[in-house]
Amino acid sequence: MHAGTHARLDRIGTDGRYLVVPMDHGITLGAVGGLKDIESTIDAVTRGGADSVLTQKGIAPRVHPNSNDAGYIIHLNGSTAGGPDTNDKRITGTVEAAIRAGADAVSLHLNVGSETEPNQIEDLARITERAADFGVPVLAMTYARGPGVDEADPERLAHAARLGEELGADLIKTGYSGDSESFTHVVDSTRLPVLIAGGKPESDRASLEAVRGAMDAGAAGVSMGRTVFQHDDPEAMTRAVSGVVHDDLPAEEALDRAGLAVEA
């Protein structure tokens, strides 16, 4: 790994742990809550302790003035929820474009088990090769997702995580299997840092318990989008997640310290 890659990994994380808030959902879902005034949301989550934020390249001018010196990741593929196949992620940018836009890292989404998996494998392989030329880290979002695929199956998730390493990524984001014991198998399937996805927003406590379970299994952090940026108080929710990821707090204590009500 290049010295530049190491340096840029330090910019998007803290001491080998990562709290990333992805806000690339505008391509998939449109300007949903939390993304219309994305400037305020970026300011809130980075004040709350996010190590880095993630968007598509076109949002870069709205990121930098509001990121409070947090790291920045640019996502390089996408699809829409209203298109013919939301699992069919197509390239939306290049490593060079991300560098020009001020990114510290790039990311790519790959649905392992989807009908378009082969194209996405080729895309990730190309992106990791090109990123290595510039010392730019690659976050591979490798999900178990497709027809008949159980998205929480630890064997499927372990395969997805290992695939990201095999293709040359530096970090892995994948789904959570639902409990710490089974997720240990996922983490052990690769030597790369593994981050869990947030998924659809649940209760604050349920979300934090999932983060706690993943960290107990050896995960390196989270890449949590809607659960954070669509929260009524995104700064407080980010602070709560940071309490688990960076301070090793139990979920209930993290919520309490962040000033969020703990559900019975």
Side-chain angles (χ1 to χ4, degrees), residues 125-150:
R126 283 193 293 267
I127 290 296
T128 58
E129 284 285 333
R130 192 60 176 152
D133 290 339
F134 297 98
V136 172
V138 177
L139 167 61
M141 301 183 181
T142 53
Y143 295 89
R145 190 170 293 173
V149 173
D150 178 355

Side-chain angles (χ1 to χ4, degrees), residues 21-264:
V21 180
M23 288 178 271
D24 59 312
H25 303 65
I27 276 190
T28 309
L29 301 173
V32 295
L35 296 185
K36 288 183 179 179
D37 181 10
I38 198 171
E39 292 88 346
S40 295
T41 305
I42 291 167
D43 178 58
V45 302
T46 52
R47 279 190 285 107
D51 294 304
S52 48
V53 296
L54 180 154
T55 75
Q56 292 278 347
K57 62 185 179 185
I59 303 298
R62 304 174 69 177
V63 173
H64 295 300
N66 303 289
S67 64
N68 298 303
D69 296 321
Y72 183 36
I73 304 169
I74 287 182
H75 197 54
L76 297 183
N77 65 353
S79 64
T80 72
D85 182 3
T86 191
N87 286 333
D88 185 6
K89 303 295 181 179
R90 299 297 180 101
I91 292 294
T92 57
T94 63
V95 174
E96 292 89 338
I99 293 169
R100 288 194 297 269
D104 301 304
V106 297
S107 61
L108 199 84
H109 184 133
L110 198 163
N111 291 312
V112 182
S114 70
E115 293 177 354
T116 53
E117 174 198 290
N119 293 336
Q120 292 164 28
I121 287 176
E122 292 177 349
D123 290 340
L124 181 57
R126 283 193 293 267
I127 290 296
T128 58
E129 284 285 333
R130 192 60 176 152
D133 290 339
F134 297 98
V136 172
V138 177
L139 167 61
M141 301 183 181
T142 53
Y143 295 89
R145 190 170 293 173
V149 173
D150 178 355
E151 297 183 12
D153 180 352
E155 290 295 338
R156 290 275 198 169
L157 293 171
H159 183 189
R162 183 52 179 259
L163 185 148
E165 180 180 7
E166 297 278 347
L167 293 177
D170 302 286
L171 298 165
I172 300 296
K173 171 183 177 179
T174 195
Y176 183 52
S177 59
D179 64 84
S180 184
E181 183 177 359
S182 64
F183 200 69
T184 299
H185 174 57
V186 181
V187 172
D188 288 347
S189 71
T190 174
R191 292 189 178 182
L192 297 182
V194 175
L195 285 59
I196 65 162
K200 294 180 180 179
E202 300 182 52
S203 70
D204 294 348
R205 183 166 188 163
S207 296
L208 267 290
E209 291 287 1
V211 177
R212 181 69 268 164
M215 299 304 294
D216 289 343
V222 302
S223 177
M224 186 172 279
R226 288 172 290 173
T227 300
V228 173
F229 73 71
Q230 290 193 316
H231 196 276
D232 290 340
D233 189 340
E235 181 177 352
M237 187 59 179
T238 307
R239 190 172 292 114
V241 177
S242 179
V244 178
V245 171
H246 291 303
D247 299 326
D248 280 326
L249 298 179
E252 186 170 334
E253 185 177 350
L255 288 166
D256 183 61
R257 287 195 186 184
L260 295 172
V262 179
E263 301 96 335

